[in-house]
Amino acid sequence: MTASQPPSIRGLSVDFSRILFGPQADQIHEPWRRLFSDPQFSFREGLTPQERTALSYERLHLINEAIADPVAFASDIEALTAMHEWAGVVDAGMATIASIHWNLHIGSLLDHDHDGRDLSLYARMERIGTFLCTELDHGNDAAAIETTATWEAGGFTLNTPTPGACKWMPNTSSVGGAKTAVVAARLVVDDIDRGVFLFLTPLTDNDGSHYPGIEVQPLPQTASAPVDHCATAFRDVRLPFEALLQGEHGRLSRDGTFSSALGNPRKRFLRSISRVHSGKLCMAAYSLGVARHALAVAMRYSYRRLTSGMTTGRKVPLIEHRSHHAPLLSAVATTYAATLLHRSVVRQWASCADAEQADIERLAAISKAWITWQARAVMTECRERCGAQGLLLANGIAYQLAANEGTVTAEGDNRVIWVKAAGEMLMGGFTPKPASEVPAAGRSLDESAFLQDLLTDIERIWHSRARSRLRSGRRGNPLARWNGTVTPALSLVEAHVHRLAAEALLNAVDQASDPRAREVLRHLHRLFALRQVKAHSGDLLADGSLTADHVRRLPDVEEVTMEALLPHATELTDGFGALESCMAEHPMLCQAGDHQMVPA
């Protein structure tokens, strides 16, 4: 089978799809595929950013109508993340405001005491929820926010004390209808700062007019998803007692008595905004969905676009060229590994006990950063492989790629959350596995277990280096000591998530029912692992984990693996189950007169 003659029957793609989306795909993913295949979600050419934003809010109502219980939906992490995987493909702005509305807003209400609180307005989407935490001067250091909610006369007065304390950059404009926010503010009782809590704050009335004391300034257009980003300030906004979102981390009685099961204000803050942790899984899900779609588009285009076959008069599809299919196959391997890693983290999140919460939150943070970064790389590669066609927003890559930049920063800037995770891993949150007792000289790069051991070795090498730097760092100067440690510590985090992603991909091999599918998945795992091993081959050689012969053979093994995967390229991307209604509307896949090299 040659690259220009892909299989007409996609038997293996069924296996791949089942592995990627799980045994409950019909219940969890298929409803979203059907919904977003509706013509109402088709891409519309020529809209201004403001018109796109208004359309996104209109479509938000269509999502709400499709959900049996819109309030309970916010507590179903599998359904919530599944929605993000498909929503971003058709409308990145809609996916953004949907994430804010369900995860951050309604989710925050559900995570605090909510008995007696009427949530029916959200169920009917008579009000849209938003979330106001970060401020102009306080982004990654959100625990230091300045907005105050002062207890007085049986209620609260919400104020923005300085220009730098304006909430920046939530969707608080009048677009979309009536809105209510949960606002993070410092609870001040009898001149005592009790820490940061959330306050339910109506922003606009049913006509979209902002209530007195709420000042909203639209921000300049961003390069990411078109959303009504604004700077928002509060001037003596009065809130009732019920506005405070309470829980075990902090309660205030009507006589002004404050109590908390947490003595540390920072812990109270983290508990108040705990929804940003599940938001990391949502952001990763968006990135996975749009990356898979971009790959499906680029792969299909590569079979229909003809180019020189290196001899006079001969034309071949782009996919025939190693320079074209090698980066695409590498992107496929990464995307499979990233998707299966995300599935694993979501399952762990859904079933974790309270004692495991800190560990799973760290895993979610590490995975979010890696997945959103990998999605950027994958979509950038797909855009380039499609040439000028890839620049057209209507072709389903460039628009989503730009919007993905928002996921890199949202729910925690990637670099910052990795720095935090690195510190935790060095201070007892991680113990590396011991080295294999099998001598490297007797092992083969074709052996999956050997490749996994090598990924573990990379982890252990960087953990050892980071710990050594930490121990030998300059005493009496914590910043200098950490600056000397952070680079190998971040390499440890990267090695850790690569190993986990490869492990998730390897674990999927046995889930395939067809032996041929199992073999393809082994090749996919090998390609993914080899890229990491090759990048660290010097360290592995010095450590004795690889031999000189292994290092010399690395490029050849990678080439052979590419050759083995190429006949299955379209089967692998067909396994993504791309929205065919979208694919049919992409101009580069349906232009008249184009060579029909797309498999039937």
Side-chain angles (χ1 to χ4, degrees):
M1 183 187 300
T2 67
S4 59
Q5 295 173 321
S8 59
I9 300 176
R10 301 269 196 280
L12 299 188
S13 67
V14 175
D15 240 359
F16 297 147
S17 185
R18 181 179 55 79
I19 288 167
L20 285 173
F21 296 103
Q24 293 184 301
D26 287 347
Q27 292 76 41
I28 297 175
H29 288 276
E30 190 57 32
W32 298 117
R33 291 186 75 256
R34 287 197 301 269
L35 176 65
F36 296 129
S37 294
D38 191 284
Q40 294 180 94
F41 292 96
S42 295
F43 179 79
R44 299 190 189 177
E45 187 65 58
L47 300 184
T48 66
Q50 293 75 22
E51 289 170 335
R52 289 204 186 281
T53 298
L55 178 60
S56 293
Y57 278 105
E58 291 175 17
R59 289 169 166 174
L60 190 70
H61 288 267
L62 299 178
I63 298 178
N64 194 70
E65 291 168 7
I67 301 171
D69 188 339
V71 173
F73 174 66
S75 296
D76 187 339
I77 190 64
E78 290 185 303
L80 193 61
T81 53
M83 180 268 287
H84 284 76
E85 289 188 41
W86 301 99
V89 173
V90 296
D91 189 333
M94 176 194 70
T96 300
I97 59 178
S99 188
I100 295 168
H101 174 75
W102 272 289
N103 180 63
L104 293 177
H105 185 89
I106 298 178
S108 292
L109 295 177
L110 295 176
D111 287 352
H112 291 76
D113 295 346
H114 59 275
D115 289 345
R117 196 181 293 278
D118 183 12
L119 302 181
S120 62
L121 292 175
Y122 302 112
R124 297 191 297 270
M125 198 161 270
E126 293 177 16
R127 299 197 73 82
I128 293 171
T130 186
F131 187 83
L132 282 64
C133 182
T134 58
E135 298 174 352
L136 180 58
D137 285 352
H138 303 288
N140 292 316
D141 65 337
I145 63 174
E146 300 177 63
T147 303
T148 58
T150 304
W151 168 253
E152 52 190 9
F156 305 94
T157 301
L158 195 62
N159 268 305
T160 301
T162 67
C166 69
K167 294 299 181 182
W168 204 90
M169 45 194 277
N171 55 321
T172 54
S173 78
S174 59
V175 178
K179 293 179 182 175
T180 297
V182 285
V183 179
R186 312 197 77 82
L187 171 61
V188 179
V189 182
D190 297 331
D191 295 324
I192 300 174
D193 181 349
R194 296 295 187 179
V196 177
F197 289 83
L198 297 181
F199 296 82
L200 190 62
T201 308
L203 299 178
T204 62
D205 60 23
N206 291 335
D207 296 324
S209 299
H210 288 96
Y211 290 115
I214 296 174
E215 301 175 358
V216 173
Q217 178 65 45
L219 293 176
Q221 182 180 343
T222 69
S224 61
V227 175
D228 53 322
H229 295 299
C230 299
T232 307
F234 304 99
R235 308 297 179 200
D236 296 323
V237 175
R238 287 293 296 170
L239 299 174
F241 173 79
E242 293 76 16
L244 174 62
L245 271 59
Q246 307 197 45
E248 291 298 321
H249 64 295
R251 287 196 172 90
L252 186 71
S253 65
R254 289 186 180 273
D255 65 6
T257 301
F258 178 80
S259 62
S260 173
L262 300 175
N264 187 322
R266 179 172 177 77
K267 289 183 178 179
R268 294 175 202 155
F269 163 72
L270 294 175
R271 175 62 185 83
S272 292
I273 66 162
S274 60
R275 267 287 159 160
V276 301
H277 297 301
S278 55
K280 291 177 174 62
L281 295 175
C282 294
M283 294 300 97
Y286 166 88
S287 292
L288 286 169
V290 294
R292 289 197 302 262
H293 189 81
L295 260 175
V297 171
M299 191 67 75
R300 194 169 296 188
Y301 182 66
S302 70
Y303 277 96
R304 70 185 305 143
R305 178 72 172 183
L306 300 183
T307 188
S308 170
M310 304 303 289
T311 57
T312 303
R314 182 170 184 257
K315 295 284 188 178
V316 298
L318 281 170
I319 195 69
E320 290 277 11
H321 287 273
R322 179 60 52 87
S323 58
H324 192 90
H325 66 242
L328 285 182
L329 288 170
S330 180
V332 170
T334 297
T335 303
Y336 265 72
T339 299
L340 293 165
L341 171 66
H342 188 261
R343 298 280 180 260
S344 173
V345 178
V346 169
R347 285 194 300 270
Q348 292 177 65
W349 183 281
S351 62
C352 83
D354 290 343
E356 303 167 331
Q357 192 64 37
D359 291 339
I360 191 60
E361 287 177 359
R362 179 170 60 251
L363 179 57
I366 291 172
S367 301
K368 175 261 182 181
W370 184 77
I371 289 170
T372 56
W373 274 329
Q374 297 306 309
R376 172 201 279 164
V378 166
M379 285 190 284
T380 299
E381 192 64 66
C382 290
R383 208 291 305 156
E384 290 188 28
R385 299 283 64 75
C386 293
Q389 291 277 14
L391 295 173
L392 302 182
L393 299 186
N395 278 328
I397 301 175
Y399 177 41
Q400 288 79 2
L401 171 58
N404 186 68
E405 290 302 299
T407 71
V408 171
T409 300
E411 321 302 29
D413 178 80
N414 280 359
R415 181 65 57 176
V416 174
I417 61 179
W418 263 28
V419 168
K420 179 178 181 291
E424 293 172 353
M425 290 176 71
L426 289 182
M427 301 307 293
F430 169 74
T431 301
K433 294 182 178 180
S436 171
E437 296 181 359
V438 181
R443 308 192 75 175
S444 168
L445 291 171
D446 295 327
E447 180 189 343
S448 300
F450 181 39
L451 293 174
Q452 279 301 125
D453 284 343
L454 290 172
L455 298 183
T456 299
D457 292 336
I458 297 169
E459 224 177 4
R460 191 176 57 258
I461 288 168
W462 286 110
H463 181 266
S464 176
R465 283 181 179 160
R467 290 285 294 172
S468 177
R469 290 277 190 91
L470 188 62
R471 287 192 299 268
S472 62
R474 192 187 310 173
R475 302 291 176 179
N477 190 333
L479 179 58
R481 191 179 183 191
W482 179 243
N483 281 342
T485 303
V486 69
T487 300
L490 288 172
S491 293
L492 163 64
V493 177
E494 183 179 19
H496 180 61
V497 71
H498 264 96
R499 195 260 300 171
L500 291 177
E503 189 174 275
L505 179 51
L506 185 58
N507 288 341
V509 171
D510 291 335
Q511 298 174 27
S513 57
D514 191 317
R516 295 174 301 160
R518 291 196 288 272
E519 186 64 17
V520 172
L521 290 172
R522 287 191 191 94
H523 288 309
L524 210 60
H525 169 266
R526 183 180 305 141
L527 180 59
F528 177 73
L530 283 171
R531 305 288 287 213
Q532 178 76 346
V533 169
K534 189 165 69 170
H536 296 271
S537 58
D539 283 330
L540 292 168
L541 179 63
D543 189 60
S545 301
L546 281 179
T547 67
D549 185 58
H550 284 136
V551 176
R552 282 190 291 268
R553 289 193 63 241
L554 275 169
D556 293 334
V557 175
E558 188 176 24
E559 290 286 310
V560 170
T561 305
M562 290 283 188
E563 290 280 1
L565 284 171
L566 182 57
H568 304 285
T570 50
E571 291 176 304
L572 285 164
T573 52
D574 280 354
F576 295 155
L579 298 175
E580 288 299 329
S581 60
C582 290
M583 300 285 275
E585 293 177 345
H586 295 326
M588 70 178 179
L589 296 183
C590 62
Q591 287 173 336
D594 218 358
H595 293 276
Q596 298 301 309
M597 300 299 296
V598 182

